[in-house]
Amino acid sequence: MQLTLPTVLTLGRLVLVPILVLLFYLPFEWAGPAAAVVFALGGFTDWLDGYLARRLNQSSSFGAFLDPVADKVMVAVVLVMLVQANPYLWMALPAMVIIGREIVISALREWMAEIGQRAQVAVSSLGKIKTVAQIAALLLMLYHDPIGALPTFLVGVGLLYLAAVLTLYSMVVYLRAGWIAANRAEEQASSP
C-alpha cells in the first residue's frame, strides 16, 4: 500500500486529537481558542484530503476507511471533553445522540456491506449538512469566548441541538434504507 498525500493528511488529523485534548485542558485563558484552532485545522484537512484524493486521483480503500474514522474520533473526543466540562443533561443529550448514531450507522454500513448492499447507506447530502452544523457547533463551543456581542458558546449549543436533530433524522433515513435493502436481499436469496 502506497501512502498518498490525502492519507497522510487523514493520519495527521488523528495526530491532532491528542494535541487538541492537551490544549483543551491547559489552565490558560488562550487554551479554548487554541483548541478551536486545532479543531478547525482538523476540519480543513478533512475537506482537503477528500479534495486532493479526487483531484489527484489518489483515492484508496485504506483512505476511504480511515477518513470517517478520523472524523468520528475527533468529534467523539471533543463531545466527551465538552460534556466533562459541562456535566449537565442539556450537554449530555446531544452528545449521546451524536455518538450513539455514529455507532449505529457504522454497524449498519458494515452489515450492509456483508450482504452486498453498502451503496444503500452511502453518505447523503443531509449527512453533509449535519456534519457542517456539528463542526460549527463544536468549533464555537471550543472557542467559548464571546466574539463581540456574539455568545459563541450559546450559538454552538444551538447548532449542536440542530446537529442532533439532523443526526436522528438521518439515522432514521439510513435505517429505513437499510431495512428495505436487507429485505430485498433476503427475498432475492430465498427466491428459486
Side-chain angles (χ1 to χ4, degrees):
M1 175 186 75
Q2 183 179 356
L3 207 56
T4 64
L5 179 57
T7 303
V8 169
L9 287 170
T10 302
L11 289 168
R13 196 157 61 253
L14 284 170
V15 170
L16 289 176
V17 172
I19 296 168
L20 185 129
V21 171
L22 176 67
L23 288 171
F24 183 82
Y25 287 107
L26 284 177
F28 300 113
E29 195 173 298
W30 50 264
V37 168
V38 170
F39 185 75
L41 180 60
F44 176 71
T45 63
D46 183 26
W47 170 82
L48 185 60
D49 67 26
Y51 172 79
L52 290 175
R54 290 183 298 276
R55 180 88 171 152
L56 302 174
N57 197 24
Q58 292 185 344
S59 296
S60 68
S61 56
F62 180 65
F65 156 75
L66 190 62
D67 183 63
V69 169
D71 298 344
K72 287 167 183 37
V73 167
M74 185 169 268
V75 166
V77 166
V78 170
L79 284 168
V80 168
M81 290 187 314
L82 287 170
V83 169
Q84 187 271 328
N86 304 279
Y88 308 104
L89 182 60
W90 60 263
M91 186 64 220
L93 281 175
M96 289 185 298
V97 166
I98 291 168
I99 293 171
R101 181 260 192 204
E102 294 306 334
I103 293 167
V104 169
I105 297 305
S106 294
L108 176 66
R109 286 188 176 131
E110 185 177 325
W111 178 58
M112 295 303 288
E114 285 180 24
I115 63 171
Q117 298 290 317
R118 173 71 168 87
Q120 302 301 319
V121 286
V123 175
S124 69
S125 57
L126 179 62
K128 292 180 181 187
I129 294 168
K130 181 259 324 170
T131 300
V132 169
Q134 183 175 275
I135 298 304
L138 297 178
L139 184 62
L140 290 171
M141 292 173 78
L142 283 170
Y143 188 83
H144 200 278
D145 298 335
I147 300 173
L150 180 70
T152 57
F153 189 81
L154 292 178
V155 172
V157 170
L159 285 171
L160 189 64
Y161 270 86
L162 172 63
V165 168
L166 292 173
T167 292
L168 282 175
Y169 180 75
S170 68
M171 182 176 73
V172 169
V173 169
Y174 285 133
L175 288 173
R176 184 175 181 274
W179 181 267
I180 292 168
N183 283 333
R184 191 177 316 124
E186 192 173 298
E187 287 171 7
Q188 290 172 349
S190 64
S191 64

